[in-house]
Amino acid sequence: MSKLYCQFPQDFLWGAATAAYQVEGAAREDGRGPSGWDTFCRRPGAIAMDHNGDHAVNHYHRYKDDVALMAQLGLKAYRFSISWSRIFPDGVGRPNPAGLDFYRRLIDELLGAGIQPWATLFHWDLPQALEDRWRGWESKQCAQALGDYAGFVARELGDRLTGIFTINEFLCFLDKGYGFEPELFAPGKSVSRRILNQARHHAIYGHGLAVQAIRAERGNSLSIGLADNISGCVPVRETKEDIAAAKAALRELSGMYITPILEGSYPTTYLEDEAANAPVFTEEEMKVIGSPLDFVGFNLYAPVFIRHDPEARRGWSHLPCDDAYPRMSMPWLAIEPSILYWVPRLAHELWDIPAIYITENGCSYPDRPDAKNQVWDTARVMYLKQHLIALHRGVLEDLPIKGYFLWSLFDNFEWAFGYTKRFGLFYVNYETMDRFPKLSAKFYRDVIKQNAVGGPARN
Ligand code: PNW
């Protein structure tokens, strides 16, 4: 076969991602307990148009048809999340067999279609009972509860899963939900800096306990990791100085999450910066936090431009995107495809990661169907194409990039933006719940089929 432009390795894992609260619906069916997002959605004015996830895109009932759509795309893997309060309506204690059964059926359907199931244990929908009882992550008991839940899922479903993510994006449910953007993220509370740092510590400790519990149940028979929205550090220029600055920034900006997880200790920069507000922890906890992982997943959307800056305290500074900078249709979604190259490269140089997955990347965009229900989302195709070309640069340089999960398979409940933001490859008509493949779905199907971006290169 002639050479294809941006050819990916043979076993490259092409996937798509969703999260339970954003797609499932069936919020009060089959014994599911409420989560913090059910509660947050009831807060007047919290969600655009007062939307909520009660029905979402009804994936809970339409999962068979949805798996058929995935098969049409040629997806090799599906990243979904498990609703903790479907399995444990009270967060801990007695499991709910009907909730578990849904995931069993979903996984069987995926396996039947030749699609690898990759499950996220916690994608922000903390059982409300844990917030009521322990104030959520403010308590170490919440970490223990995650560990127990992880062990239970590994025992019940682990034989059928290919991969498992403990936690999705610490920053959103902690930093944002506990104080920096409480109006946009559940549980929508404002805690002190000291309590935030302790909650961050409990969450990474919960991650470590979950890793250990899954490993104890399943050994190395499934891949264990997490999906983190690490800062999208990109050097402003490809000079030695800026690259070194971006690398230092990546490590320091991740000081409360990925750095301790991959190094087994907090970087001194984080502890110094937080001083009296730093978390209290034991050596034993740090060992658990540093439990070895099979892979690390990065959710990458927007750039954090870094430059070498001898006048800055740490030798680097962040250059914000200005008003004229091109963005997709989210306030924070500045476009810089090279994040898909730089973050894996810098992270790998820092931490020598065995396998890296892009666990989310994609964009929202106010696309609309025409009279024939066709959605010509050329801007999304542009966004995806450019990001995949940038990702390919890392492949060419032999970085251990093993797969890419596109966010998202369908338009869905985009948190505080409700259904007003569309991230999907499939357009969802929220009146009828019908799904239509957008142009981007066809683009992605071609990419998967050819295992390349674009067709044969001209000689
Ligand atoms: C991620 N930011 O959230 C989540 O994992 C998804 O559930 C979500 O739908 C998707 O990205 C799109 O928003 C993010 O402010 C939320 O930079 C906020 C930010 C990034 C990611």
Side-chain angles (χ1 to χ4, degrees):
M1 196 159 73
S2 60
K3 232 177 156 185
L4 298 176
Y5 184 55
C6 291
Q7 180 86 59
F8 281 78
Q10 194 120 60
D11 53 356
F12 194 80
L13 198 68
W14 295 106
T18 64
Y21 192 70
Q22 297 181 270
V23 299
E24 285 179 3
R28 278 175 286 276
E29 288 180 44
D30 297 336
R32 176 185 177 275
S35 79
W37 271 92
D38 292 281
T39 309
F40 191 65
C41 288
R42 289 326 176 269
R43 202 182 269 191
I47 313 292
M49 330 278 289
D50 283 326
H51 288 162
N52 60 57
D54 283 0
H55 304 292
V57 303
N58 199 16
H59 186 51
Y60 190 79
H61 292 293
R62 301 182 59 123
Y63 74 93
K64 284 193 181 182
D65 291 345
D66 288 341
V67 172
L69 296 179
M70 296 177 212
Q72 275 174 29
L73 282 183
L75 280 196
K76 301 197 181 314
Y78 176 45
R79 174 179 176 234
F80 58 96
S81 87
I82 295 178
S83 154
W84 184 342
S85 61
R86 263 192 214 290
I87 308 280
F88 288 103
D90 296 322
V92 289
R94 199 192 307 184
N96 170 31
L100 189 65
D101 191 56
F102 166 66
Y103 297 103
R104 222 177 243 133
R105 285 181 282 119
L106 170 64
I107 292 170
D108 285 347
E109 196 70 21
L110 289 164
L111 292 174
I115 299 170
Q116 295 181 8
W118 289 64
T120 309
L121 291 170
F122 176 55
H123 197 124
W124 310 356
D125 45 357
L126 191 75
Q128 180 61 36
L130 300 186
E131 187 64 41
D132 296 343
R133 196 148 152 204
W134 295 323
R135 291 205 294 262
W137 298 103
E138 291 182 49
S139 163
K140 200 188 288 187
Q141 277 167 298
C142 197
Q144 200 67 54
L146 179 69
D148 293 347
Y149 159 55
F152 180 78
V153 170
R155 190 153 63 245
E156 297 293 329
L157 304 175
D159 58 333
R160 299 163 155 100
L161 292 172
T162 311
I164 196 158
F165 310 89
T166 56
I167 287 186
N168 181 73
E169 298 195 356
F170 295 101
L171 191 95
C172 290
F173 70 89
L174 290 167
D175 300 51
K176 292 174 189 273
Y178 278 45
F180 298 145
E181 282 179 277
E183 67 291 351
L184 292 182
F185 289 87
K189 59 186 179 185
S190 289
V191 302
S192 68
R193 189 85 197 169
R194 165 92 197 74
I195 291 176
L196 172 63
N197 282 321
Q198 199 61 43
R200 288 161 157 179
H201 177 73
H202 294 150
I204 60 172
Y205 180 52
H207 152 84
L209 289 173
V211 172
Q212 296 205 344
I214 301 162
R215 196 73 82 194
E217 291 291 340
R218 294 282 161 200
N220 294 322
S221 68
L222 86 181
S223 287
I224 308 175
L226 79 172
D228 191 40
N229 57 335
I230 192 168
S231 300
C233 289
V234 169
V236 278
R237 293 163 58 211
E238 287 203 19
T239 60
K240 235 196 222 152
E241 290 74 18
D242 283 349
I243 294 170
K247 188 154 121 186
L250 187 70
R251 181 171 177 274
E252 289 167 27
L253 291 170
S254 313
M256 61 305 247
Y257 299 128
I258 277 288
T259 307
I261 286 174
L262 296 177
E263 297 184 10
S265 55
Y266 286 110
T268 46
T269 45
Y270 169 63
L271 296 178
E272 277 167 20
D273 287 352
E274 298 303 325
N277 293 323
V280 177
F281 56 89
T282 65
E283 276 316 302
E284 192 45 43
E285 286 165 5
M286 295 315 295
K287 267 199 208 131
V288 172
I289 288 167
S291 301
L293 299 176
D294 300 313
F295 72 89
V296 177
F298 295 127
N299 294 358
L300 294 172
Y301 290 93
V304 174
F305 287 113
I306 302 290
R307 69 185 176 91
H308 170 65
D309 180 357
E311 283 162 29
R313 192 156 65 104
R314 307 247 186 244
W316 55 266
S317 57
H318 168 209
L319 199 66
C321 293
D322 59 26
D323 290 348
Y325 194 95
R327 285 176 174 79
M328 297 303 287
S329 172
M330 275 314 255
W332 47 268
L333 227 180
I335 306 169
E336 175 47 59
S338 78
I339 49 171
L340 257 56
Y341 165 71
W342 281 108
V343 173
R345 170 171 157 185
L346 299 174
H348 189 57
E349 286 178 12
L350 282 167
W351 298 304
D352 193 17
I353 302 173
I356 295 174
Y357 291 87
I358 306 304
T359 33
E360 284 183 28
N361 171 245
C363 62
S364 79
Y365 160 42
D367 44 25
R368 278 165 176 268
D370 66 13
K372 293 183 182 158
N373 281 327
Q374 308 248 44
V375 181
W376 301 101
D377 56 338
T378 48
R380 180 174 290 99
V381 172
M382 172 281 295
Y383 181 96
L384 296 174
K385 192 189 294 171
Q386 298 312 318
H387 280 76
L388 293 178
I389 290 170
L391 180 65
H392 188 259
R393 179 175 172 194
V395 170
L396 284 180
E397 293 182 16
D398 290 326
L399 295 173
I401 301 169
K402 304 294 182 193
Y404 171 89
F405 292 87
L406 195 155
W407 186 273
S408 183
L409 187 61
F410 324 105
D411 294 338
N412 59 45
F413 177 75
E414 179 51 34
W415 308 112
F417 294 89
Y419 299 97
T420 66
K421 297 288 182 188
R422 294 179 178 271
F423 271 88
L425 288 176
F426 284 90
Y427 183 90
V428 176
N429 174 329
Y430 290 112
E431 307 269 287
T432 61
M433 291 290 168
D434 287 339
R435 286 85 155 119
F436 304 102
K438 302 179 189 177
L439 178 66
S440 55
K442 296 168 191 169
F443 163 80
Y444 196 45
R445 187 189 61 198
D446 294 343
V447 167
I448 298 173
K449 191 159 166 222
Q450 310 216 73
N451 202 27
V453 182
R458 279 163 50 149
N459 293 321

